Every structure is written in structure tokens, then in C-alpha cells.
Amino acid sequence: MAMLEVNDIHTYYGNIHALKGISLEVNEGEVVTLIGANGAGKTTTLRTISGLLAPRTGTITLNGEDISGKSAHELVYMGVAMVPEGRGVFSKLTVLENLEMGAYSREDDGIRDDIDYAYELFPRLKERRKQVAGTLSGGEQQMLATARALMARPKLLLMDEPSMGLAPILVEGIFETITNINKEGTTILLVEQNALMALSVASRGYVLQTGEIVLSDTAKNLEKNPTVQKAYLGID
Amino acid sequence: MGNINWRTILRLGLLGSVVALYFSMIGMVEDFSNRNLIGDLLNLGHVLLYAGIAGGALFAAREHSESNTVGRGLIGLATGALGALLPSGLVLLSSAINMRTVFVNVNPALSNIITFGRGVPTGLLLFVLASAVVGLITALFTVLPETWRGPVGKSFGIVIISAVFSDLVRQVLTNIIGSGMVRSLYVGDAYRPLVAAVLFVGLIALFFWLDRRAKQSNETTAIPQTDAKARQAKNRRNIALFLGWGVFLLIAPWILGSFLSQVLFEIGRFVLLGLGLNIVVGYAGLLDLGYVAFFAFGAYTMGILTTTTAINPAPGVFTFWTALPIVVLVGVVFGLLLGFPVLRMRGDYLAIVTLGFGEIIRILALSDWLAPIMGGAQGILKIPNPVFFGLELNSPELMYYLVLAGSLLAAFISIRLRDSRLGRQWMAMREDEDVAEAMGINLVQTKLLAFAIGAGFSALGGAIFAARLSTIFPHSFNLLISINALSLIIVGGLGSIPGVIVGAIALVGLPELLREFQEYRLLMYGILLIVMMLLRPEGFIPAEVFKRELHSDEDTGGPPAVEAQV
């Protein structure tokens, strides 16, 4: 049984049919990526899984338990954390306070240690721990958003476009971290426009187009797939 | 002498002139001229007339920071004289044709004020001369060395402001030094000229001395003084300050007298409202424009439960004190009831829905349908005063203590809530609802709690209000109360408790003291809000988080850089 199973979900924005029957699964320990063009429904899929949007039909199960009706805050307690699109840090809070907010759902004693772990993962954040998050650079904000999501000790991490608006050198760093986080045992579902990078860290991938999944395969095969190469990797 | 930029002078001179013209034509100069400040030499009308002109000269002189004293003097002179242009034109025009049919306020009395009562040729020349001199003095003020500018500016401000609020000052002085002494200092409402001069010079000397002492003590503390010692000294100062304020708040009504106690009561009422709204808007970031509704609920519930004139479910059972918990509970319940339908609204939509809600409540109270219970347009009469261990709280002085107690309680709860887990939830939600939810925060619960607690504070304010006035009408609960409460927390500083108090003093207390100028109240509000948004958008006493955001560009390099080296 897969950790996350999404079964034929349909999501609407008012009357707009945004997701037309998406089915996918994520196994424990995997990095799975959703790639696709702008408006394909990648973010909508992620928001539906995380509970910020409700699917009109279809089911989502986490370790066998139906979570399709649950709201986002309940899922946090079930081990699902999200790194929102556009980074979404609390801009008026300091780096440290942002990390503490990330541990909102926890009441155990390990929070201090986890903050130290986050600093180990992103030494830049340690340097800037007293700085207000709104004044961080784009790359640092992405690091903070990722570190903050990890503070909830998620089993499944949902990442929405972590490379958006970042310089290429920073993008590489972010993807390196994704691999590291995964090695530590966190399962990751990654939504990306930067298909090349996403496929290089993922084990499997799904290709979305106008609200439907048009391809699904291992990352290696997708990289070689002529359609994917042409449409998303810029290779003719 | 540096380059003189004539275009700047022209622009700022005319700008000052337009301000002077505007205040003249809406009748403010004439109305305000009845309030003498210093003998009959200077009245509030003058201040208003020359304020714009002086402002123009001040900015013109600042723009020429490289000019020397003579240069800046000339610039001030020119800008000031230019500032006289439009009001002079107005006087000339009105002496030639009768403008009163269209511009009611352009009348001989206004011309008299502008021309010092000397008529067209001589008076106008005097006015131009006076404007030029005002411009000159303002410009020379900018040339003063730093050490003098502060004391002179502050002293001038204090003399003028204390003269404007001479009612308050005289009342306090009378209670301290007796009315005979006070009479020798004032003519009518105004300072005697000599008194004003002595006060001005004395204040300059005082500020000068204080500045020097502060500098000296800075120099001495710069050399070794342990952190612990400094902190101890600071703690001691804070305790002294705290005790000082405590004692002042306790004895205030007996120094200030009945009228000013009433003003204090009004301030306290809005502090209570402001603290409640601060939870909803400042902490949780939910823009609520119908806040007056909960105030009305509180007042009406108190009225219905304690009078015999309305339909009382249990006449004679409830006193003010036993009704109070029920009133607060009703406020909380209605806060929840309003909260549910608007949960999904954000920002502007929420503001409009709550605005409608506030009006609905007022119209319901006014309606014939509910008249048997709520009294319709007549309202509820004869609400008894609270009785505190046999002492009937029937005077403004005594009611002040009630509102003081309520405000202190609300402030205490606010502080505890801000630093609690719930306070963090509100802050996260205010910043970004989606992210907050992704952190595991239950938005429904968090929003409802903000509405409910804010409504409880407001209902408490309403109950005290009803008990103080003994009579409540639907008209007492209009939109203006919501707007007042919102303005005062914005001016004071969103999310800041001292800010609420300062905001209430500035927007409720001061206008109460200037009742004779009531018709310009909203104009002054508008000007104050615009000036605040331009110069200090974070409010008088901003909360830490808001300060960070609005001035984050200024201190990015500072603390974090030091931090990075640790």
C-alpha cells in the first residue's frame, strides 16, 4: 500500500473544472514530482492534497486513512507538511520565530534540537536567526520555508515550486537539500516547473496537462521521453 | 550664498498660501479667532492662518540647506511674503464685490482678522509684512544649531498647545495653587503676554539643561557600568514611572474636576472599545467596521436587564454587577454569531459585511418591530447607576473609576492574550491565512475567538456607557463610533496597547476639550489621519512587529550583521 493514494479527484474553483480526475500515488521514502506547464493544475493538486482545497469527488488516503474531507490544519497533525508556493514566510517575524511557528503542532521537548538541525541543514539561517524574514533574499526565504515545514517533523512533505524566482546556483542548492531531506527519511511530493531539476532528484514523475495526468513513469524514463523532452526540457 | 531655487520658493510659498486660503474660506480662521492664546496679541485663528505660510517657509529653507544664514533668511522672507498672496487677493476681491452669497465665510469679519482691522491698503501691507516676518523667523529657526533647535521648537509647541488647552491647564492649576494665582496668570482664556514670554524662555532653559544633563550622563555611562547595574537602574525607573502613573490615575478625577472627569470617562470608554477592536484588527488582522454593534448589544442588554421601563424578563432581580457577566456573555455569543457567516470573507469583503451588520443592529434597535423590547427611537430610560458597596456611582468622578477598572482589566487580558499561544495563532493568521493553516492552526476557531473576545470587551464598554448615561438611544450607536475606534487604534499603532491609550487621548480626549470647534472635528480627523499615514504609518506607539515591517529597510544592516559575527 502506498503512503499517499490520490484516487480520481475532481477539484473546482467555482464553476471552473481545475482537476479532471487526478490519480497518483507516493510510496514511503520516495521523491515524486509533478511537472507541467503553467495552469496545468500542479499547485491545485498539491493544495487539494494538503487540505487547503476540497475535492468535489474522489478520495485521498494517507496510510490507508481517508483524508479527503480533512482541512489543512488537521493534516499537519497527521504528518503532512507543506512548503507553500511563493515561499510564504511570516515576513514580520524573525527567522527563529518562523521556525518556532513551524513547530506549532508539536508539544514535545525536541523542538530546540530540531531548530539546531534546521540550522545545520541551512547554515545561512543560523547567521540570520534574529533577522526579520521579510528582509531575507529569495533563496534564504525558500530555505526558511523548507526548514519551517520540517519543524513539524512531517512524514510527507509537499513542496510547491521551490525553485521559483531563484538564481540557478541557488536552485541547485535547494535540490541538493531536497535529496538530503529525503535521505533522512522524509517522503516528498514535489511540484515543479523546472522539470529537468525535478526529474534529476525524483524517483518517479507525473506529467500534468490542463488538469489531467497525461504521462507517468520513472524519472529516468520521463527524462528520455521525446514528448517530455520537447515540451518541458527544451530539447528538440 | 549658494544657489537659490526660485521655483521651489514659488511652489512652497503658493502651497502655504493655498492652505491659508482654504482655512480662511471654510470659516475656520474666523471661528478659531475667538479663542485668544496670548492676551489679545495672538489667537488660534492667527495660528491657523500663518501655519501654512510658516510651513512653506520651513520646507523652503530646508531645501536650501547649503545656504548661509542671510540666504536662508531671504528665502524665508520671500516664501512668507508669497504665502500672503492668496489671502490678500481674497480680501481685495471681497472688498470690491460681495462674495458672501456663494462663499458664506468670506465676510468683513474675516477681512478684519487678516488685515489686523486696519482696512485695505495699510492692513494688507501689514499682513504681507507679518507673513514675511513669520517666514523669516521660521527660516532662521532652521539655521539654529542642533542644541538650540530642539529646546526652542519644543518650548514653542508647549506654549501654544498649553494655551489651546487652557481650560485643562487652568483647572489643574486651580486645584493646585488656587484660583487667585491662576487669575493673575490669565486674561480670560489666554495667557498674559508676560506669562507666555517667561514660560517660553523658562522652558527653553529647562530643555537645554535637560539635554545637557542627558548628554553628560550618557558620557559617564559609556565608561564602565555593568549591564546588571544598568538594568537595575532601568527597572527602578520603570517601577517609579509605573507607580507615578498609578497614583495619577487614582487621584486624577479629584485634581481635574467634574468636567474633565467626564472627558476621562469618554477616553476610558474608547480605550475599552479600542482594546477590543485591537484584538480583532490589530492582532487577528480582521477588518471589522461594524464594531459598534457589540457596543450596542452591551448597552441594550444592560438597559433591558436593569430597568423597569423596558420589558424586563426578571424585573428587580439584576443589579449592574449581576447583569455585567450576562452582558459580556451576550456580547461574546453575538460575536460568535457574526463570526460564523463571515468566516470565509477576507479583507475588504469582511469590512463591508461587518459594516452592514453594524447598521442592521442600529436600524433594528430603531425599528417599531422591536420597539416593545428596545424602546424604538425613544430608547431605554432610567437605567440605574451602579451601586458599589452602598455607594451610588452617580457622578463622572465615580464612574471614571468603573471605566478605569474595566480598561485595566481589558489591557491585562490583552497583554496575556498577545503573549499566549492564541496570540501567536492570531499573528500567524494575520500574516498569511494559508500558511497559518499549513502550520496546523485551526482558522475557524482562531477567527471566532478573535471576534468573540473583541465583542466581549465592546459589550463591557456598552454596559458601562448605559449605566453612566442612564438613557440609551439607537442614535448613540452610529457608524461614527466604529470609525472612531478604528481610527484611534490606527493612529495609536495597530496591535499596541499603549497606542490604544494614546490614540484615545488624541482622537477622543482632545476633541472633547475643544468642543466649541465641534464642526471641524471630522476635518481635523482627516488631516491627522493623512499626516499620520505620511509621516508615521505605524502609529504613535507602534507594536514591535509592525515597526519591524515598516522600517525594516532601515535596520537590515544593523543588528543582523553583528549577529552574524557571533
Side-chain angles (χ1 to χ4, degrees), chain B residues 321 385-388 391-395 398-399 401-402 467-468:
Chain B
W321 302 104
N385 288 125
V387 179
F388 186 68
L391 176 69
E392 192 181 355
L393 306 181
N394 52 5
S395 67
L398 293 171
M399 282 304 281
Y401 287 106
L402 190 60
R468 162 81 191 102

Side-chain angles (χ1 to χ4, degrees), chain B residues 127-383:
Chain B
F127 173 58
V128 176
L129 198 66
S131 303
V133 171
V134 167
L136 175 69
I137 294 172
T138 332
L140 289 181
F141 173 70
T142 67
V143 188
L144 282 178
E146 194 79 40
T147 43
W148 282 98
R149 218 184 306 159
V152 171
K154 275 186 244 172
S155 307
F156 181 73
I158 290 179
V159 170
I160 295 293
I161 289 169
S162 65
V164 172
F165 297 106
S166 68
D167 277 352
L168 171 70
V169 178
R170 271 184 316 161
Q171 181 69 50
V172 174
L173 286 180
T174 308
N175 283 343
I176 297 171
I177 59 173
S179 60
M181 286 283 280
V182 172
R183 233 173 285 135
S184 64
L185 298 175
Y186 285 87
V187 250
D189 276 339
Y191 282 126
R192 288 183 192 281
L194 186 65
V195 175
V198 170
L199 182 64
F200 183 51
V201 175
L203 280 172
I204 293 179
L206 178 70
F207 280 122
F208 199 69
W209 179 71
L210 282 177
D211 282 356
R212 268 207 21 207
R213 219 182 60 147
K215 207 180 282 168
Q216 272 168 1
S217 74
N218 266 349
E219 276 159 16
T220 49
T221 47
I223 323 167
Q225 192 185 22
T226 49
D227 252 11
K229 220 176 200 174
R231 209 172 305 141
Q232 219 174 23
K234 204 178 162 197
N235 270 346
R236 222 175 300 142
R237 215 173 318 143
N238 280 346
I239 292 170
L241 209 65
F242 187 75
L243 284 180
W245 273 109
V247 169
F248 171 76
L249 284 176
L250 275 181
I251 61 169
W254 311 108
I255 309 177
L256 296 176
S258 179
F259 169 67
L260 291 170
S261 298
Q262 175 59 30
V263 174
L264 276 185
F265 176 83
E266 283 296 305
I267 294 175
R269 173 160 79 95
F270 273 94
V271 166
L272 206 46
L273 276 176
L275 285 172
L277 190 60
N278 187 44
I279 287 182
V280 185
V281 182
Y283 291 175
L286 306 164
L287 186 52
D288 182 354
L289 291 182
Y291 194 60
V292 66
F294 307 116
F295 185 65
F297 276 126
Y300 269 99
T301 311
M302 178 54 77
I304 290 169
L305 287 179
T306 57
T307 63
T308 48
T309 53
I311 288 189
N312 188 334
V317 171
F318 287 107
T319 65
F320 175 83
W321 302 104
T322 48
L324 205 55
I326 297 177
V327 169
V328 175
L329 197 70
V330 167
V332 168
V333 168
F334 275 99
L336 290 174
L337 283 183
L338 169 69
F340 272 114
V342 302
L343 275 176
R344 301 222 154 261
M345 313 262 171
R346 289 185 189 187
D348 314 353
Y349 303 102
L350 176 68
I352 290 169
V353 171
T354 50
L355 181 70
F357 180 72
E359 282 298 284
I360 289 171
I361 298 307
R362 187 178 62 84
I363 289 165
L364 276 182
L366 195 58
S367 68
D368 288 339
W369 178 53
L370 286 175
I373 305 169
M374 301 177 88
Q378 271 195 349
I380 297 178
L381 311 171
K382 292 188 191 157
I383 301 164

Side-chain angles (χ1 to χ4, degrees), chain A residues 20-91:
Chain A
K20 301 161 186 163
I22 299 279
S23 298
L24 58 87
E25 51 178 60
V26 180
N27 296 308
E28 191 155 6
E30 270 189 317
V31 177
V32 174
T33 182
L34 288 178
I35 56 179
N38 255 340
K42 305 185 299 287
T43 296
T44 309
T45 308
L46 208 63
R47 286 173 72 90
T48 309
I49 294 171
S50 72
L52 288 173
L53 293 171
R56 200 171 281 182
T57 58
T59 57
I60 306 168
T61 58
L62 183 72
N63 296 322
E65 190 180 343
D66 186 8
I67 59 164
S68 14
K70 292 225 182 328
S71 51
H73 66 89
E74 290 172 293
L75 287 184
V76 178
Y77 291 89
M78 299 177 68
V80 180
M82 174 149 154
V83 183
E85 188 186 17
R87 304 186 269 277
V89 295
F90 295 117
S91 59

Side-chain angles (χ1 to χ4, degrees), chain A residues 47 52 71-73 76-77 84 88 90-94 97 101-102 104-105 127 129-132 135 148, chain B residues 421 424-425 427-428 430-432 434-442 545-546 548-549 552 556 560 563-564:
Chain A
R47 286 173 72 90
L52 288 173
S71 51
H73 66 89
V76 178
Y77 291 89
F90 295 117
S91 59
K92 283 178 228 165
L93 302 191
T94 64
E97 286 167 337
M101 275 316 296
Y104 172 84
S105 56
E127 287 170 25
R129 63 185 181 274
K130 296 239 171 112
Q131 191 169 328
V132 177
T135 65
R148 188 186 54 192
Chain B
R421 197 171 163 82
R424 285 278 148 158
Q425 283 169 235
M427 183 156 66
R430 185 186 63 210
E431 291 260 312
D432 190 322
D434 284 346
V435 179
E437 194 169 9
M439 299 291 102
I441 291 168
N442 184 342
V545 266
F546 283 94
R548 276 186 202 162
E549 175 177 78
S552 53
T556 28
E563 192 58 37

